[in-house]
Amino acid sequence: MTSTPPPSSLDPEIAARLRRSPDGLVPAIAQQYDTGEVLMLGWMDDEALHRTLTTGRCTYWSRSRSEYWVKGDTSGHFQWVKSVALDCDADTVLVKVDQVGAACHTGARTCFDADVLLKDADSGTASGTPRSDQ
């Protein structure tokens, strides 16, 4: 982050657990709550996480604009928060949302459907099974 964000109102117990990048951010994965579809990756600092937890709408920190943005305020493609969890290392946030409209800035439903690097040959979907030579 190029500018220092204001002090956060994030619960100090949650803040103490977070493992942030050197610029004070944690990656936040947005996932559709009822289908498990991975929608996008954004970045949160303590205040963005606090706003997400208290407003019921995803708030992210824009690294390019150095400002907060609430998903849907400009596009109308809202993310209504259903649950928020930390991973086992407390260095990534998983936000399960009810996505309204596109999640990706390109207008696509998800940011992860245009450039699939490996597909399951049988089903045509991305494979979660490691290859036998790994």
Side-chain angles (χ1 to χ4, degrees):
M1 296 182 320
T2 57
S3 63
T4 303
S8 173
S9 300
L10 182 64
D11 180 323
E13 289 183 19
I14 296 171
R17 294 174 55 201
L18 288 177
R19 293 185 53 206
R20 300 161 195 82
S21 66
D23 53 1
L25 302 174
V26 293
I29 300 166
Q31 180 182 36
Q32 179 64 32
Y33 81 101
D34 54 353
T35 65
E37 179 182 31
V38 177
L39 300 168
M40 61 173 278
L41 171 76
W43 295 92
M44 292 184 179
D45 66 359
D46 289 18
E47 182 61 21
L49 180 55
H50 167 72
R51 292 179 188 187
T52 297
L53 292 169
T54 58
T55 66
R57 293 187 52 208
C58 281
T59 300
Y60 300 99
W61 177 258
S62 170
R63 296 178 301 163
S64 60
R65 295 187 313 266
S66 295
E67 64 184 19
Y68 295 105
W69 58 280
V70 179
K71 184 68 175 166
D73 274 359
T74 304
S75 66
H77 300 158
F78 298 101
Q79 290 179 339
W80 301 105
V81 175
K82 297 293 188 175
S83 68
V84 180
L86 290 176
D87 76 337
C88 58
D89 296 320
D91 63 0
T92 303
V93 176
L94 175 63
V95 187
K96 292 189 179 184
V97 301
D98 189 7
Q99 177 70 46
V100 176
C104 188
H105 71 279
T106 65
R109 168 80 180 158
T110 172
C111 294
F112 296 101
D113 63 354
D115 195 9
V116 177
L117 302 178
L118 178 64
K119 287 189 177 192
D120 181 335
D122 294 331
S123 68
T125 60
S127 172
T129 306
R131 296 189 335 230
S132 61
D133 63 338
Q134 291 182 334

